[in-house]
Amino acid sequence: MSKEAYKLTSPDGSEIELPVRSGTLGPDVLEIGRLYRDQRVFTYDPGFMATGSCESTITFIDGDEGILLYRGYPVEQLAKYSSFLEVAYLLLHGELPTPSELEKFDTTVRTHTMLNEGMLRFFTGFRYDAHPMAMLSAVVGSMSAYYHDTMDIDNAEQRDIFAHRILAKLPTIAAAAHKLNAGQPFIYPRNDLGYTENLLQMLFAVPAEPYEINSVAAEALDLLFILHADHEQNCSTSTVRMAGSSGTNPYSAIAAGISALWGPAHGGANEAVLRMLREIGDAKNIPKFVAKAKDRDDPFRLMGFGHRVYKNFDPRATIIREMCHKVLKQMGRKDAPLFDLALALEEVALKDDYFIEKNLYPNVDFYSGIIYRALGIPTSMFTVMFAIGRTVGWVAHWREMITESNRRISRPRQLYRGPVQRDYVAIEKRK
Ligand code: SDX
């Protein structure tokens, strides 16, 4: 659906028309392809603050209103009524599953959770204290060395098997990384357990005694995975799209997304929030840290605050904060002081002019670590947990990009500010 074009006048007086396109929701876009073809100029938007990179039907965010929709369904409703596997089906297929579709999907995922035994040997090669995100990106990338039967990106059946495999095996790989760090034996997945129950037993069961799954923990993880499942064209999802646009195999594209997620400005923030809260230590120190965050000469930032898109509350943070109350109470965990500190920090920051003027609110990463910690998950595993939830979003976007009729490799241009052409100088003539 197109509206009137924007009209521009170039420095030489020539008129340029840029067609406008409208989506079903959100801002219109300007099609700028002809700017280079007709005017030999590029647009320039470092960090892609105002650039639409693709057309998508998967997730919609309204950052001003704090709205997040997965295939049109508000995340608040999915958090309240759905399950992670049902949301995964929705993101992958575009519609909520029928009971038989969900049962088939659940069975398929349950029966793909084991790893090739050769992959398990990778873990014996890592240092005992290797960061689990390093192990996750390495082992997921290695899947392209095992699953050669699902590497044809133009084969729909192979794309489906890849999707089920990566969704099913991510928790197993994540748990294996944790067991290496813990110095404990790897625990095999069990097909009789649901998605989060299986992950909990792979993380925390030991051969020496029976393991009883805590239903509150399983429910909390399921909700966290729903909230982390997708988020439009964020850094890691755009990385998966960019890598996948070269036609590389899907496992390598997902491994690229895992690497991008690791950064503290992105999914690594949940780990950074816990470290920050521990550094703050006590509510009396909050003013000092808020002052550091406001100091332009100080690189310190209030981790878990701010967002490229949300200039209002991140709806996921609100849901997670409510879940913190419930989990801490039901788990009877001693982490209440950290949660109390986080609540106090939020209260101080949201009353501060700097945070108000810059629309800096708590984001998805601010409270999630409180819950992970209450479930006994070590801080270094927090971003791995984010990756488990986000993998289905990465797969959905990868598949949407791969199946586009006008698919092309992503290849941005630049504003060149280097030396003009010059001739080589023999070393003996250099001063
Ligand atoms: C995720 O994109 C997504 O959707 C990501 C995500 C997803 O689900 O995929 O939602 C998940 O990554 C959430 C964000 C987690 N990151 C953090 O919590 C790290 C702390 N936050 C920031 O570093 C920052 O807010 C970003 C990276 C999240 C957003 O950065 P932007 O959009 O590039 O904004 P910016 O860095 O230009 O900041 C604008 C201003 C700056 O001040 P000025 O230069 O204008 O004076 O706000 C300031 C910043 O200094 N600012 C902060 C701040 N965040 C921004 N100041 C103090 N503390 C902060 N946290």
Side-chain angles (χ1 to χ4, degrees):
M1 182 170 67
S2 289
K3 293 177 178 170
E4 288 302 306
Y6 276 56
K7 292 185 173 56
L8 290 179
T9 306
S10 72
D12 67 9
S14 56
E15 286 274 313
I16 311 146
E17 282 206 357
L18 299 178
V20 174
R21 288 189 61 203
S22 302
T24 43
L25 292 171
D28 291 343
V29 297
L30 284 188
E31 295 206 80
I32 56 169
R34 65 191 316 171
L35 267 181
Y36 181 61
R37 196 187 63 213
D38 300 350
Q39 299 291 323
R40 313 305 284 173
V41 290
F42 298 140
T43 57
Y44 180 63
D45 184 21
F48 308 118
M49 308 285 278
T51 293
S53 61
C54 63
E55 192 171 314
S56 181
T57 62
I58 299 171
T59 291
F60 175 73
I61 303 172
D62 181 326
D64 297 327
E65 299 302 319
I67 292 170
L68 171 56
L69 309 177
Y70 290 164
R71 300 289 189 178
Y73 294 97
V75 75
E76 294 84 352
Q77 292 183 26
L78 295 170
K80 189 171 180 184
Y81 302 115
S82 190
S83 69
F84 174 65
L85 271 193
E86 183 176 77
V87 167
Y89 185 98
L90 170 67
L91 288 169
L92 289 173
H93 299 283
E95 297 297 335
L96 289 168
T98 61
S100 62
E101 286 168 338
L102 183 57
E103 186 188 356
K104 181 168 179 268
F105 184 66
D106 182 273
T107 303
T108 301
V109 170
R110 283 176 188 244
T111 54
H112 283 75
T113 52
M114 284 180 70
L115 306 180
N116 180 298
E117 285 292 302
M119 288 175 69
L120 286 178
R121 286 195 286 276
F122 280 124
F123 291 94
T124 58
F126 293 120
R127 253 178 66 124
Y128 70 92
D129 59 354
H131 194 290
M133 280 297 280
M135 292 189 264
L136 188 72
S137 59
V139 177
V140 168
S142 80
M143 291 173 81
S144 54
Y146 283 90
Y147 300 109
H148 300 130
D149 61 345
T150 48
M151 303 268 273
D152 179 355
I153 61 175
D154 295 315
N155 178 312
E157 187 189 5
Q158 291 193 24
R159 290 197 297 264
D160 284 348
I161 296 170
F162 149 71
H164 299 146
R165 268 196 178 130
I166 195 98
L167 195 56
K169 296 179 194 306
L170 241 287
T172 311
I173 296 169
H178 169 60
K179 284 303 195 188
L180 178 95
N181 288 155
Q184 294 175 354
F186 169 74
I187 298 293
Y188 282 92
R190 284 173 42 188
N191 294 353
D192 62 319
L193 294 177
Y195 199 78
T196 53
E197 290 83 355
N198 206 359
L199 173 59
L200 285 167
Q201 71 93 18
M202 289 190 286
L203 284 171
F204 299 123
V206 288
E209 59 186 30
Y211 174 72
E212 188 180 336
I213 293 162
N214 180 311
S215 59
V216 171
E219 183 192 332
L221 278 186
D222 197 82
L223 179 54
L224 284 168
F225 290 157
I226 289 173
L227 297 175
H228 286 80
D230 192 48
H231 214 238
E232 197 215 67
Q233 306 308 322
N234 60 85
C235 177
S236 53
T237 300
S238 297
T239 301
V240 170
R241 281 177 171 264
M242 172 78 85
S245 74
S246 74
T248 189
N249 72 80
Y251 301 102
S252 299
I254 299 299
I258 292 170
S259 300
L261 184 75
W262 195 0
H266 190 16
N270 55 15
E271 178 178 348
V273 167
L274 249 291
R275 299 194 193 289
M276 175 187 72
L277 290 174
R278 282 203 196 101
E279 193 183 353
I280 294 173
D282 186 288
K284 70 177 184 303
N285 299 325
I286 288 176
K288 180 177 75 173
F289 281 85
V290 168
K292 275 171 63 69
K294 293 159 63 175
D295 179 355
R296 291 181 68 93
D297 298 325
D298 189 326
F300 173 79
R301 286 195 164 183
L302 224 44
M303 301 313 281
F305 272 80
H307 198 278
R308 172 61 59 76
V309 177
Y310 290 120
K311 301 309 173 189
N312 193 326
F313 256 93
D314 180 334
R316 302 167 297 176
T318 307
I319 297 168
I320 295 173
R321 183 179 56 198
E322 293 320 307
M323 190 167 59
C324 281
H325 287 293
K326 179 180 173 187
V327 168
L328 287 170
K329 186 160 170 260
Q330 288 175 314
M331 300 287 283
R333 293 303 293 255
K334 61 187 182 310
D335 296 297
L338 270 182
F339 182 42
D340 294 341
L341 184 60
L343 290 170
L345 179 56
E346 175 187 335
E347 188 180 348
V348 171
L350 295 188
K351 287 177 182 162
D352 186 288
D353 290 344
Y354 173 92
F355 288 84
I356 294 167
E357 282 156 23
K358 295 179 186 296
N359 296 306
L360 302 176
Y361 290 86
N363 57 49
V364 68
D365 292 309
F366 187 60
Y367 287 107
S368 55
I370 303 283
I371 294 178
Y372 291 137
R373 186 179 147 85
L375 302 184
I377 295 167
T379 305
S380 60
M381 281 287 291
F382 287 3
T383 310
V384 171
M385 303 306 284
F386 192 144
I388 294 174
R390 184 53 55 86
T391 292
V392 67
W394 290 332
V395 172
H397 281 274
W398 172 82
R399 185 154 67 175
E400 185 177 66
M401 179 272 300
I402 285 292
T403 52
E404 274 172 353
S405 55
N406 63 341
R407 181 176 99 210
R408 60 180 55 182
I409 190 168
S410 293
R411 201 269 186 232
R413 299 303 303 272
Q414 63 179 8
L415 173 65
Y416 176 69
R417 293 170 53 79
V420 295
Q421 187 168 323
R422 52 184 171 168
D423 294 328
Y424 182 79
V425 177
I427 190 161
E428 57 273 11
K429 293 184 177 170
R430 293 172 212 159
K431 302 231 178 357

